Amino acid sequence: MTMIAAMGRIEQIQSMMQQLASGPRAATTTVAAATATAATASAESFAASMASALGTAGGASAVGATGGATGTNIVDAAKKYIGVPYVFGGEDSSGMDCSGLVQKVYSDVGIDMPRLVSGQMKMGTEVASLAEAQPGDLIVTGGGDHILIYAGDNKIIHAPYAGRDVCLRDVYMSDSEITTIRRIIPTAAAGTTGAASADMLSAAFAAIAKGGAA
């Protein structure tokens, strides 16, 4: 449903409520005035109700820090640095350490991350186990000594240590050896966007109807 159609429907609902509340005769004589003021009132009510349904203030949409990036975007960005030599403190294609790789990869897709593992391991949300890890998740080991990017299919991308290059390899650690797994990019189930929008619109209508009946 478009916003214009939604606004029109809101006006109809409010007009009907006014008619029912005032009785048939009053509804006939006041319908023109009600229609004239409905657009403004409906817009304000709709905005407030939609904001309530969305959990945002003033109807404003919260812009996610992830900027629409996906886990696949993270993995693709990380693969570009495979073969870059490990350099302690490095953070570009001339050489990088484990946290430098993570910061650079996320920066490439428009996400700001702390420079050190100690900060990176506090970002996002906790993932319970390797079995639940998804591409783009961060795996931290050694209490914060090392950080890796989960690439999916039981693979990881990381900058191992001096003398080695950034590489893609099989996961080599178990859950007991992992300090934390962090999901920076929230997971959205495919095909749920339209349903979620419909649910939010329904919630807004319900809030308006409730307010009119009060």
Side-chain angles (χ1 to χ4, degrees):
M1 180 181 290
T2 65
M3 183 62 73
I4 293 176
M7 297 297 291
R9 181 57 180 155
I10 294 170
E11 291 178 16
Q12 293 175 5
I13 293 172
Q14 290 191 330
S15 178
M16 286 188 292
M17 289 192 296
Q18 289 173 345
Q19 291 178 33
L20 291 172
S22 303
R25 182 177 179 180
T28 301
T29 57
T30 61
V31 66
T35 302
T37 59
T40 300
S42 296
E44 294 174 353
S45 298
F46 182 80
S49 299
M50 184 60 78
S52 176
L54 290 170
T56 57
S61 298
V63 179
T66 58
T70 66
T72 299
N73 295 149
I74 296 299
V75 174
D76 290 342
K79 286 180 177 178
K80 295 187 302 182
Y81 298 105
I82 291 176
V84 171
Y86 178 96
V87 173
F88 180 75
E91 51 191 32
D92 58 38
S93 56
S94 65
M96 53 181 60
D97 57 19
C98 63
S99 57
L101 171 65
V102 167
Q103 185 187 51
K104 178 59 176 171
V105 166
Y106 273 85
S107 176
D108 285 350
V109 299
I111 301 174
D112 292 331
M113 290 288 285
R115 173 61 182 84
L116 302 178
V117 179
S118 58
Q120 294 170 354
M121 64 188 291
K122 298 175 184 176
M123 302 295 288
T125 58
E126 180 81 23
V127 176
S129 67
L130 274 172
E132 299 177 40
Q134 296 186 5
D137 289 350
L138 301 177
I139 300 173
V140 179
T141 61
D145 288 339
H146 192 50
I147 191 164
L148 316 87
I149 298 171
Y150 185 69
D153 298 324
N154 205 43
K155 304 282 187 182
I156 51 94
I157 298 175
H158 71 145
Y161 48 80
R164 294 284 302 277
D165 299 335
V166 174
C167 63
L168 171 68
R169 60 161 296 174
D170 291 336
V171 170
Y172 60 84
M173 75 291 290
S174 64
D175 283 322
S176 63
E177 299 172 294
I178 294 174
T179 301
T180 183
I181 302 175
R182 309 301 297 184
R183 180 160 299 154
I184 309 303
I185 299 177
T187 302
T192 60
T193 303
S197 298
D199 288 344
M200 289 187 290
L201 189 60
S202 297
F205 281 137
I208 292 169
K210 182 178 179 181

